[in-house]
């Protein structure tokens, strides 16, 4: 944090922020929409009936994985641009200095498109899908399990329960997702940096060779600290919207 602040000022902390803000609504609707509908198809119970007849954790897991798989494709290009902009660490351009490689999210998307075609925008998408499919299954199972543990049978979980269960679901999911998150980000940066990977496995092997197994836990603490409030609020909004519109 200190280094980022010294080098790039407060603005450095907001790099790559505009695209995630635009895309989070789309990505979360796909995730939660596919999850709810998959659960509906698997259990044939609506959200309201589900408190009396809770779905099995296997069904919750499958529905979560399905949602995770499909949202990964919507997320991939936005995530790529976020990672590219966040890794552009030079301070804001001074008048007269050469412009940065990417002047902003739209310029970044256009440059990748021009240089590599539409497929370029999906660089690292495989690693992202592998990261998100099982870990979003874990995400919903953790949430449902924690709600079930602290709510009397047949009742709706309280807002406090939803917040805590959502927060821990986010942390569990990020803890399990971090190894592939590291690999995904490296593959998204390849093509820009000099190192080229022959594929996902090559990226895993060369990262471990150079930096040891610890490489899989890069950013774990900051990811978890961020995950608690973000996912507490996500689940509270989800439950609230389902009750008021459902
Ligand atoms: C699966 N993975 C851990 C990557 C994400 C799970 C939580 C998703 C949430 N939008 C967030 O940004 O925290």
């Amino acid at each position: 944090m200190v280094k980022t602040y010294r080098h790039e000022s407060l603005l450095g902390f907001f790099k790559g922020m505009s695209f995630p803000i635009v895309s989070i609504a789309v990505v979360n609707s796909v995730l939660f929409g596919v999850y709810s509908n998959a659960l509906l198809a698997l259990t044939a119970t609506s959200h309201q009936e589900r408190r009396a007849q809770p779905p099995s954790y296997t069904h919750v897991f499958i529905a979560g994985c399905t949602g995770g798989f499909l949202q990964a494709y919507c997320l991939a290009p936005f995530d790529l641009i976020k990672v590219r902009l966040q890794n552009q660490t030079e301070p804001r351009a001074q008048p007269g200095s050469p412009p940065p490689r990417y002047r902003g999210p739209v310029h970044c998307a256009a440059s990748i498109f021009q240089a590599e075609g539409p497929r370029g925008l999906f660089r690292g998408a495989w690693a992202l899908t592998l990261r998100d499919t099982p870990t979003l299954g874990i995400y919903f199972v953790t949430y449902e399990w924690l709600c079930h543990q602290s709510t009397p049978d047949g009742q709706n979980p309280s807002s406090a329960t939803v917040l805590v269960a959502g927060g821990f679901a986010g942390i569990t999911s990020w803890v399990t997702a971090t190894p592939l998150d590291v690999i995904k980000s490296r593959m998204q940066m390849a093509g820009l940096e000099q190192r080229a990977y022959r594929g996902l496995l090559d990226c895993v092997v060369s990262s471990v060779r150079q930096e040891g197994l610890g490489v899989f836990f890069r950013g774990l603490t900051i990811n978890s600290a961020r995950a608690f409030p973000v996912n507490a609020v996500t689940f509270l909004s989800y439950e609230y919207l389902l009750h008021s519109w459902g």
Side-chain angles (χ1 to χ4, degrees):
M1 282 170 85
V2 171
K3 273 194 187 154
T4 305
Y5 181 75
R6 285 217 185 111
H7 189 55
E8 300 165 66
S9 83
L10 261 187
L11 284 170
F13 294 98
F14 294 91
K15 284 224 169 118
M17 187 184 70
S18 53
F19 256 34
I21 287 188
V22 177
S23 63
I24 191 81
V26 179
V27 171
N28 267 344
S29 333
V30 172
L31 171 62
F32 282 85
V34 172
Y35 167 73
S36 317
N37 284 292
L39 206 55
L40 187 69
L42 288 166
T43 63
T45 47
S46 70
H47 187 72
Q48 282 74 16
E49 295 161 336
R50 234 167 258 151
R51 292 295 161 215
Q53 288 165 270
S56 73
Y57 291 119
T58 314
H59 283 156
V60 171
F61 183 74
I62 297 172
C65 291
T66 315
F69 181 81
L70 292 175
Q71 63 95 49
Y73 273 86
C74 308
L75 180 61
F78 293 111
D79 194 67
L80 174 72
I81 288 157
K82 181 198 78 174
V83 167
R84 291 274 172 108
L85 290 175
Q86 284 179 336
N87 277 289
Q88 185 167 269
T89 53
E90 63 266 22
R92 284 229 133 182
Q94 303 296 318
S97 64
R101 179 179 194 115
Y102 300 130
R103 290 195 291 271
V106 177
H107 179 245
C108 178
S111 332
I112 298 174
F113 190 88
Q114 263 167 15
E116 302 168 55
R119 286 198 59 186
L121 289 170
F122 285 85
R123 198 180 266 276
W126 246 116
L128 184 71
T129 312
L130 279 180
R131 181 197 78 173
D132 281 7
T133 306
T135 54
L136 281 162
I138 295 171
Y139 178 67
F140 287 103
V141 168
T142 313
Y143 173 74
E144 284 299 328
W145 185 76
L146 286 173
C147 280
H148 187 74
Q149 293 304 305
S150 37
T151 312
D153 278 351
Q155 279 184 27
N156 284 322
S158 67
S159 302
T161 303
V162 169
L163 284 171
V164 174
F168 279 112
I171 291 188
T172 319
S173 177
W174 272 108
V175 167
T176 48
T178 298
L180 270 169
D181 186 58
V182 172
I183 299 302
K184 178 228 45 135
S185 303
R186 289 177 176 215
M187 297 192 67
Q188 288 172 322
M189 285 308 288
L192 198 68
E193 290 174 339
Q194 287 322 308
R195 42 181 150 161
Y197 301 114
R198 266 171 280 127
L200 201 143
L201 214 62
D202 183 40
C203 180
V204 172
V205 172
S206 72
S207 301
V208 173
R209 266 210 199 118
Q210 280 167 23
E211 294 158 74
L213 282 174
V215 75
F216 290 132
F217 302 101
R218 285 271 172 86
L220 184 69
T221 321
I222 197 93
N223 268 349
S224 307
R226 170 196 166 282
F228 193 91
V230 166
N231 293 288
V233 172
T234 304
F235 272 102
L236 191 68
S237 317
Y238 172 64
E239 294 287 350
Y240 175 78
L241 290 174
L242 275 180
H243 283 127
S244 48
W245 291 351

